[in-house]
Amino acid sequence: MKRYLAQKRLMKIALVYFITLAFLNCTPDKLKETTDDTVNITQYLKDHENYSLFLEALEITNYASFMNTYGTYTLFLPTNEAMKQYIKDAGVASLKEIPLKDLQDFVKLHILDQKVISTSFTDGKIATPSMYGQYLVTLAANSNGTSKYTVNKTSNIIASNLVVGNGVIHVIDKVLRVANKTLAQTIEADANLSLFTEALKATGWYEKLNQPLTIDQNNIASFLTVLTQTNDEFKAVGINSLTDLKAKYSHLKDPMNPNDSLNLFVSYRVLPKLQYLADLAVSATLETKAPMEVISVKLDKENLLLNEEIFNGVLEKGVSVNRTKSDVTTSNGVLHFVNANFFIKKRLPAPVYFDLADQPEFRSNTAIFRKHAGGSIVLTHDQISGITWEGTESIKYLDGKAGTSTGGGWHGDLLELNRFKTGLTQNLVLKTPVIIKGKYKVWIDYRPQSSKMPTLKVYFNGLELPKLVNCNEYTSTSATDNATERVLESQGYKHPVHPYDGNLNSRLVGVIDVPTTGRHTIKFESITASPGNVTWLDVVEFRPIDMDQIWPKLEKGGDRFVSSNLTYY
């Protein structure tokens, strides 16, 4: 009997076991006992014999362990063939014979402390520097109908985006080289830059560009950027020797003098900070080592143009940057090449009449822009490049009809802002045309209304100007003889257009000191609500302080100027 009960108990246990087993096998979601079975970088190299030499470099430098830990790295991985060439070029028989510090720098140059896949590559620097501290530069190249990326202009990526547990690997066919020459040494090593090298030495800039990199107390590195030009670019303007260069530019006959034109010729090509093409492309102006002198930058499709501006209505052609040759990394900066000779443009302060409605995006609408038919163009934040503002409202280009109040401004158009101050439009910031450095009086030309209009603060380059613009305020509509005009001017007002139009007013908002020649910013801030009306702005006039502030006037509805003897030009 006991034996029977024992067998029955065993049968029950077996039945429960098989039911449980069957249940587990039928469960669709099985638990994964490990979090990730993807190998990390070091293990990946161990698993692939073709990368054994770079693995050896990691082991010698003691970097193999941290490259096998959790993280987000990018490795530009040389093949064994590439590593063998590196050993041969170093004049040694094995990696162990390379000085440890040199090998450590070499390894760190190939590693980024960030995961960067190939879709992030552009024709320019990778945003994240290498662990050595130098940036890597990628460039898309076409070979035999196949597009591929090169790194630092020498190494081809032959396999990309190999995902590992702690990052991504890009395989390259040549090792990357640490840039250990200074800017001066890099320039001197190029035979095509021999005349530029002579200019550096004659002005004392060779020594400055030959200094090792330093870090100041604010953790700012002493990087510099140089815009150089080849002997051929000099020859194109008749400069074949240092003697020719001195004759053309050295007005003090002392190139070492910082005020000498040849010294300024060189210092104008030296920029503070580390600025690759990607950095230049997003800069409106570039500060230079020539005191108070800047270079304007314009991106025209794929061309990077320096000092190309429309000045007083005339296009002044700029100088293009050679993108293929540029982005040369050095130990203390980066080197670029320009395609033509250029020099500082010396000008005296000159008036600038900034028509706020003249924006490229408005101008491109040829069916409406300045047709004087009463049309309008409405643009949102992301549709216009030269203006920014806060709030949800769009801004409007208003093209007035001749003979109507809206057609009385210069060129017959206005910039219209809806409900300034109420959250729909506020803090309007515009980029000015090029203004030559100097002192100017700033006048705001606008169309007032009698009620529900804002009062505006005006800022130049972030500096608040002392006078306000009350958009409810009209200038006296009485006699407009010269005596009356001068009285108004003394009070900070004037009639901006001719023939006289009582619907246009001009307010002096202050005197500015423009520190550098280039494009600047002007900002309008409403400090009172305008709940029901729109605000119309016409022109910002920048007139040198020693210039007549009334004449010339702007032609009403036209594009000309009117002198004090009522001559149109």
Side-chain angles (χ1 to χ4, degrees), residues 7-20:
Q7 286 177 341
K8 189 173 181 181
R9 189 180 299 113
L10 286 174
M11 289 177 64
K12 286 181 178 180
I13 292 173
L15 181 61
V16 169
Y17 171 77
F18 285 116
I19 290 173
T20 302

Side-chain angles (χ1 to χ4, degrees), residues 213-232:
L213 190 67
T214 58
I215 308 292
D216 67 13
Q217 65 274 16
N218 297 317
N219 202 33
I220 297 175
S222 61
F223 285 118
L224 294 173
T225 300
V226 174
L227 306 171
T228 190
Q229 63 189 67
T230 65
N231 296 341
D232 288 339

Side-chain angles (χ1 to χ4, degrees), residues 128 158 202 209 273 294 382 415 476 486 522:
T128 303
I158 57 178
L209 299 180
K273 302 186 297 184
V294 298
D382 58 350
L415 184 68
S476 170
R486 294 302 171 186
I522 190 158

Side-chain angles (χ1 to χ4, degrees), residues 28-38:
D29 296 319
K30 296 182 180 181
L31 295 176
K32 187 175 181 180
E33 295 183 8
T34 58
T35 58
D36 193 352
D37 57 5
T38 306

